[in-house]
Amino acid sequence: MRGKFIVLEGLDGAGLSTQSVLLENHLKLRGLKTMLTKEPTNGLLGGIIKASLKGEWKTSYKSLQLLFCADRAHHLENEIEPALVDGRIVISDRYLFSTLAYGYASNVNYKWLRYINLNFRLPDLAILLDVSADTSLSRISGGRSNLELFEHKENLSKVRQAYLHAAKEFHIKVVDANGSIADVEGKIDKIVDKFLSLR
Ligand code: ADP
Ligand code: MG
């Protein structure tokens, strides 16, 4: 049977990396075949994007979002689609809603952002880990001193608003992720179990 495609989205520090690992473990314990992946990818195109986010080379915001889309096309063709055919539950830490939210926050036209993502399959389930800009900043700066391209409070608030807008448009489940790791984990498991008819 064909697998399912689940996506976690949210601001940096929302807990995407933490929760995607926990979700994968949860599903594995239930005997399901999984694949954990993320965007930007660890491939060549993802590397170009990460270098740009760190300010190691400069490109326009539009060009940056096109690179995200190129990375996404490659990701879908080479990793996500084959895993779905193999019957896996694919969990992606970020997907096309990141382009919509971060692109919009950097003043790229929202309709154009949606347009350049039209050809990509939508996930079967998308969950937005919604945190305030303050929570995001405090969790990010706990780990690092240098802030990346989008990691400033005003900008984060704008990204958050764009995410909430996209959540309505694309029926994304919104989870309050300001609480503890265990609290957020419980909320995600509940949504995913219901979606997979496991409870
Ligand atoms: P993201 O991948 O969304 O940027 P991470 O999962 O890497 O976020 O988490 C960023 C930091 O915040 C890490 O140090 C992590 O341990 C911590 N963290 C994640 N979720 C929570 C939470 N619910 N409460 C407190 N700290 C958290
Ligand atoms: Mg992360």
Side-chain angles (χ1 to χ4, degrees):
M1 209 176 71
R2 203 186 153 72
K4 294 281 180 213
F5 183 24
I6 300 176
V7 165
L8 298 187
E9 288 279 359
L11 295 184
D12 299 281
L16 302 175
S17 300
T18 306
Q19 296 296 339
S20 49
V21 170
L22 292 171
L23 176 59
E24 185 186 34
N25 289 339
H26 172 75
L27 296 176
K28 275 184 173 163
L29 281 172
R30 293 184 175 239
L32 295 164
K33 287 201 296 184
T34 59
M35 183 183 82
L36 179 56
T37 187
K38 65 176 175 186
E39 291 189 3
T41 66
N42 289 324
L44 191 58
L45 291 166
I48 297 173
I49 293 166
K50 286 175 210 172
S52 171
L53 293 174
K54 284 187 207 142
E56 290 168 5
W57 70 285
K58 290 228 178 306
T59 192
S60 74
Y61 290 123
K62 268 178 110 170
S63 152
L64 178 63
Q65 295 310 333
L66 287 168
L67 286 168
F68 269 103
C69 287
D71 188 38
R72 182 163 303 130
H74 187 85
H75 190 204
L76 273 166
E77 289 162 17
N78 294 280
E79 296 181 61
I80 298 172
E81 297 289 0
L84 290 174
V85 169
D86 192 34
R88 290 178 190 278
I89 311 283
V90 176
I91 302 162
S92 188
D93 171 347
R94 300 193 173 284
Y95 187 56
L96 62 80
F97 307 111
S98 288
T99 292
L100 301 184
Y102 285 83
Y104 176 77
S106 49
N107 292 324
V108 180
N109 182 277
Y110 186 81
K111 278 190 181 154
W112 183 77
L113 292 166
R114 231 176 23 189
Y115 175 74
I116 60 175
N117 281 283
L118 267 184
N119 265 309
F120 302 132
R121 72 160 50 251
L122 286 172
D124 298 301
L125 174 67
I127 302 174
L128 172 61
L129 301 188
D130 182 41
V131 290
S132 65
D134 282 326
T135 299
S136 164
L137 271 181
S138 74
R139 289 190 196 154
I140 308 170
S141 49
R144 286 181 281 120
S145 55
N146 57 323
L147 292 185
E148 288 186 1
L149 196 56
F150 295 104
E151 298 172 351
H152 296 280
K153 190 170 169 181
E154 272 170 51
N155 221 326
L156 289 169
S157 300
K158 207 170 165 192
V159 177
R160 178 171 179 239
Q161 290 313 316
Y163 262 133
L164 291 170
H165 177 84
K168 284 203 185 114
E169 190 178 352
F170 293 93
H171 307 291
I172 301 173
K173 301 270 182 207
V174 182
V175 162
D176 180 347
N178 294 289
S180 70
I181 290 177
D183 171 59
V184 179
E185 182 187 9
K187 289 176 181 163
I188 294 173
D189 287 351
K190 201 170 165 191
I191 291 170
V192 172
D193 286 355
K194 191 172 170 215
F195 167 72
L196 294 172
S197 307
L198 296 175
R199 66 166 93 174

